[in-house]
Amino acid sequence: MQSIRNIAIIAHVDHGKTTLVDKIIHVSKIFRENQQFDDLILDNNDLERERGITILSKNVSVRYKDIKINIIDTPGHADFGGEVERVLKMADGVILLVDAFEGPMPQTRFVLGKALELGLTPIVVVNKVDKENCRPDEVHEAVFDLMFNLDATEEQLEFHTLYGSAKNNWMGPDWKNPTDSILPLLDAIVKYIPEPKIEEGTTQMQITSLDYSNFVGRIAIGRVKRGLIKEGQQYALCKADGSTKRVKVKEVHVFEGLGKVKATEVQTGDICAITGIEGFEIGDTLADLENPEPLPRISIDEPTMNMLFTINNSPFFGKEGKFVTSRHLRDRLIKETEKNLALRVEPTDSEDKFLVYGRGILHLSVLIETMRREGYELQVGQPQVIYKTIDGVKCEPIETLFVDVPETSAGKVIELATQRKGELLVMEPKGDLQHLEFKIPSRGLIGLRNNVLTATQGEAIMNHRFSAYEPFKGTIPGRINGSLISMDAGQCTAYAIDKLQDRGTFFVDPGEELYTGQVIGEHSRDNDIVVNVQKGKQLTNMRASGSDTNTRIAPARKFSLEESMEYIQKDEYLEITPKSIRMRKIHLDENERNRASKMQNA
């Protein structure tokens, strides 16, 4: 039988997981000598490359000393924790990657806790030791303390540690003596990560991931826990409700290099992709037909935030997108829940509105961004946190917020966080930065990043992680400034914007097409006002030389998708099309808006 090692690479965002996988791929010579390839080979969709983050976990397989090593690259953001929890089921060990300057970060704690719970063997890699003012020995101590706090076993605490720089292509036991290759890491994987245990019994394989092909339909991916999976054989599919269904495996593929290779059978411990079975979900077990034994289902942490998704009914609907109806929207959201485990979709009392539950703003914004690139038009409401009643007390999600900021700006950050019901837990120096830790309600984090970055001239580094549900902390002040709303439809003029600049900041440029009720700026006071930006200059035949002053307009303020999701108020929607992101009032007509606000106040 072939010797196999299954290993997942886990780390906080930007600590170098995907770069390390690149180097392992290069050293195992998967590519031909003359083949062209980019960096970050596994971050292969546009969104991942643009943002520089991993969103979907992916498998790659390399061979080293006649041993097959299946490597699983995982995302680093807590919002995509559902991906990590799922794929750790396929691994026997983990490589915990830690930045030599930053040390263990919130997401490091989250993913490491999940791995230790599953009893996986860790190898710690302290990466980026070529960084200025790095502190590898302190970081090594911090990782040990973290594992101890997470109730690691004696065996797990005796972890093997390597130091190195994935970017510079070396790993070794001592950070002061750089080696010339990454092979010590592969040697450590072979030596310290256990082979899959071979258990006696009937066939068992849990489906932990999905793939889709236009030719064969849905593909089930998972690791064979017991027995063999053979091509053309019949098995029982054990569902969530306890029922079983007879299915036939049409084809079996194993992972080889960056692709898949067809096989006739797959042995225990290997990861494979199966085609031909229908109606499966993530978490289902493929078991023996005569004596089916389902594996325990994957438990995923609950979502903490929801947003209202609805069809685009603005005056500009259908101009830029291909899919605009409620049927399109519903089908696309249901399709997403099949592979995105941490996402839930619920219908509302209206046919064209859906409540979408997710792990956080980033989790939902990646879904929205993917949909708009596929040609969908939709509108979303303000993100809302999910409350729970525990022992008769209204509770809300509380998060731990970590901020690294220059010392001169620390006071501003503390002030902003405490205004939003944050409690300062830790304040300590970290290199030339101040490290702050807060306990803050999830509601308080919505819109906080913008304010913190503005107050610190963009120098703050923010991370947060869900902690627990705690009693409701009271009201949190929202956005202080009101909105500037367009009075008419048509192109806005430079002349009108120039005359209205003392009223606030504009989000639109001269010449843009607007509609009535569109939010086009931020008012300098706390109330909303309707402005006429379509008005042109009255032209006459008489002109005095030099009396016309040139219009000087401040540049429009532009928002990213996440920023605009955090910016909108309760009575506003965000309109998203393949080419534009616009903010608008839910009630476009001024009289309707006044009626709605009176009803709310009553």
Side-chain angles (χ1 to χ4, degrees):
M1 264 179 80
Q2 184 186 14
S3 186
I4 295 173
R5 302 285 186 279
N6 294 318
I7 190 151
I9 298 188
I10 57 174
H12 186 78
V13 59
D14 248 5
H15 281 195
K17 293 179 295 296
T18 308
T19 307
L20 182 65
V21 176
D22 280 3
K23 300 302 179 193
I24 295 173
I25 289 170
H26 292 171
V27 81
S28 58
K29 296 195 168 42
I30 286 174
F31 292 107
R32 299 189 310 277
E33 292 294 324
N34 62 348
Q35 194 169 342
Q36 291 289 315
F37 50 82
D38 296 319
D39 288 341
L40 304 178
I41 298 155
L42 289 193
D43 282 354
N44 52 13
N45 77 30
D46 294 343
L47 249 178
E48 291 182 317
R49 287 197 167 277
E50 279 169 31
R51 289 167 180 254
I53 59 173
T54 304
I55 295 170
L56 302 166
S57 53
K58 305 170 193 72
N59 311 22
V60 59
S61 165
V62 298
R63 289 188 181 277
Y64 179 65
K65 294 183 176 174
D66 292 333
I67 293 169
K68 181 178 182 182
I69 304 173
N70 287 317
I71 300 166
I72 307 156
D73 185 22
T74 62
H77 283 83
D79 283 31
F80 309 119
E83 288 280 319
V84 183
E85 291 165 51
R86 218 176 61 198
V87 297
L88 284 178
K89 285 267 194 169
M90 295 200 272
D92 294 302
V94 290
I95 294 178
L96 177 71
L97 208 59
V98 190
D99 186 300
F101 170 67
E102 292 185 349
M105 296 286 277
Q107 181 62 1
T108 318
R109 185 187 183 95
F110 173 80
V111 289
L112 183 61
K114 296 283 176 198
L116 295 177
E117 265 175 49
L118 291 167
L120 304 181
T121 308
I123 290 177
V124 174
V125 174
V126 180
N127 193 23
K128 305 192 184 183
V129 297
D130 54 326
K131 252 187 177 180
E132 285 178 38
N133 59 27
C134 67
R135 43 195 191 99
D137 296 328
E138 285 176 47
V139 166
H140 180 251
E141 288 296 314
V143 172
F144 183 87
D145 293 344
L146 176 62
M147 286 211 191
F148 185 76
N149 293 339
L150 291 171
D151 299 330
T153 62
E154 290 285 325
E155 293 77 27
Q156 287 171 330
L157 284 173
E158 290 172 8
F159 55 84
H160 182 67
T161 307
L162 287 166
Y163 300 89
S165 164
K167 189 177 167 190
N168 296 337
N169 201 17
W170 72 270
M171 288 285 157
D174 182 5
W175 64 277
K176 291 171 188 150
N177 300 320
T179 60
D180 57 356
S181 81
I182 210 156
L183 293 177
L185 175 62
L186 292 176
D187 289 327
I189 292 172
V190 171
K191 184 175 176 185
Y192 296 103
I193 300 297
E195 279 195 67
K197 290 192 190 103
I198 294 177
E199 298 175 32
E200 295 300 316
T202 55
T203 302
Q204 277 183 324
M205 178 191 124
Q206 188 158 44
I207 298 167
T208 47
S209 195
L210 281 183
D211 202 355
Y212 186 80
S213 152
N214 290 331
F215 303 106
V216 294
R218 294 168 79 212
I219 301 168
I221 298 172
R223 172 184 157 173
V224 184
K225 181 91 165 48
R226 268 191 346 209
L228 295 171
I229 297 282
K230 293 183 180 175
E231 184 183 49
Q233 198 161 322
Q234 292 195 339
Y235 295 94
L237 184 69
C238 306
K239 307 284 288 175
D241 56 7
S243 63
T244 57
K245 176 178 155 189
R246 179 192 290 254
V247 291
K248 183 179 179 182
V249 171
K250 204 179 277 178
E251 284 185 358
V252 184
H253 292 82
V254 291
F255 289 88
E256 197 65 61
L258 290 167
K260 301 187 191 88
V261 177
K262 194 165 182 277
T264 51
E265 65 174 40
V266 183
Q267 67 185 54
T268 304
D270 206 351
I271 297 171
C272 65
I274 294 170
T275 60
I277 61 176
E278 287 298 320
F280 64 85
E281 290 168 9
I282 290 174
D284 290 353
T285 305
L286 211 58
D288 186 63
L289 196 57
E290 306 299 323
N291 184 20
E293 292 178 39
L295 286 160
R297 293 188 76 79
I298 302 166
S299 64
I300 296 288
D301 286 356
E302 289 290 303
T304 56
M305 197 167 276
N306 68 13
M307 280 180 92
L308 184 75
F309 279 52
T310 179
I311 57 166
N312 184 12
N313 59 2
S314 83
F316 290 174
F317 82 96
K319 285 189 176 181
E320 296 172 359
K322 285 188 291 188
F323 308 113
V324 294
T325 65
S326 58
R327 182 178 60 83
H328 286 136
L329 185 61
R330 179 169 55 262
D331 292 351
R332 179 64 182 82
L333 290 173
I334 298 301
K335 186 180 164 193
E336 185 66 26
T337 55
E338 289 179 354
K339 62 176 186 294
N340 195 336
L341 275 199
L343 198 81
R344 282 215 321 265
V345 177
E346 285 183 7
T348 61
D349 49 7
S350 167
E351 277 293 304
D352 51 16
K353 291 180 180 164
F354 306 92
L355 271 180
V356 179
Y357 294 79
R359 277 281 179 89
I361 295 265
L362 185 65
H363 185 203
L364 293 166
S365 77
V366 164
L367 166 65
I368 294 167
E369 182 65 43
T370 310
M371 286 173 68
R372 75 180 273 224
R373 289 180 185 214
E374 290 170 3
Y376 285 84
E377 280 193 13
L378 66 148
Q379 293 183 141
V380 296
Q382 188 190 33
Q384 306 288 336
V385 300
I386 299 168
Y387 298 107
K388 283 184 178 177
T389 305
I390 301 170
D391 299 331
V393 179
K394 182 182 179 183
C395 293
E396 64 175 335
I398 303 289
E399 309 216 10
T400 313
L401 171 68
F402 301 77
V403 189
D404 290 336
V405 66
E407 202 170 332
T408 49
S409 311
K412 295 175 191 168
V413 176
I414 294 168
E415 186 185 346
L416 284 168
T418 47
Q419 279 172 1
R420 291 163 174 259
K421 303 283 191 259
E423 292 172 32
L424 184 63
L425 305 174
V426 177
M427 183 176 180
E428 59 191 17
K430 180 176 174 183
D432 52 358
L433 299 173
Q434 281 292 110
H435 176 72
L436 309 173
E437 289 184 22
F438 299 92
K439 202 165 87 173
I440 187 167
S442 295
R443 292 177 295 143
L445 288 170
I446 298 174
L448 180 64
R449 185 179 297 271
N450 275 354
N451 296 352
V452 166
L453 289 176
T454 307
T456 60
Q457 286 86 45
E459 292 189 302
I461 301 161
M462 281 177 68
N463 291 289
H464 53 89
R465 180 176 55 86
F466 173 71
S467 168
Y469 270 86
E470 289 185 15
F472 185 67
K473 300 280 188 220
T475 54
I476 291 177
R479 192 176 89 209
I480 300 160
N481 299 46
S483 302
L484 298 178
I485 305 160
S486 174
M487 181 188 285
D488 280 324
Q491 283 191 355
C492 56
T493 64
Y495 172 78
I497 290 178
D498 182 45
K499 293 283 179 270
L500 289 163
Q501 282 194 103
D502 56 342
R503 294 287 185 177
T505 316
F506 280 88
F507 308 153
V508 291
D509 292 309
E512 267 187 51
E513 282 287 343
L514 309 176
Y515 54 79
T516 310
Q518 186 175 334
V519 175
I520 54 170
E522 183 179 278
H523 190 198
S524 51
R525 305 219 174 132
D526 60 357
N527 60 319
D528 293 350
I529 60 164
V530 179
V531 292
N532 183 352
V533 284
Q534 283 80 10
K535 185 172 65 178
K537 185 168 186 176
Q538 293 299 320
L539 300 179
T540 65
N541 288 340
M542 305 300 288
R543 273 287 169 272
S545 75
S547 67
D548 279 353
T549 54
N550 290 330
T551 53
R552 288 199 181 91
I553 298 175
R557 182 172 158 198
K558 298 295 180 193
F559 289 90
S560 71
L561 177 59
E562 283 94 20
E563 285 167 353
S564 37
M565 282 163 69
E566 291 185 341
Y567 183 82
I568 56 174
Q569 300 283 54
K570 278 199 174 82
D571 64 340
E572 292 169 356
Y573 275 157
L574 189 63
E575 178 192 349
I576 295 146
T577 70
K579 293 180 186 166
S580 324
I581 295 175
R582 303 183 191 95
M583 295 180 221
R584 53 159 286 188
K585 289 291 174 185
I586 294 177
H587 300 289
L588 296 177
D589 182 63
E590 192 175 358
N591 295 330
E592 276 186 36
R593 276 201 299 279
N594 294 338
R595 270 202 302 276
S597 66
K598 276 178 191 167
M599 283 170 69
Q600 268 186 339
N601 295 335

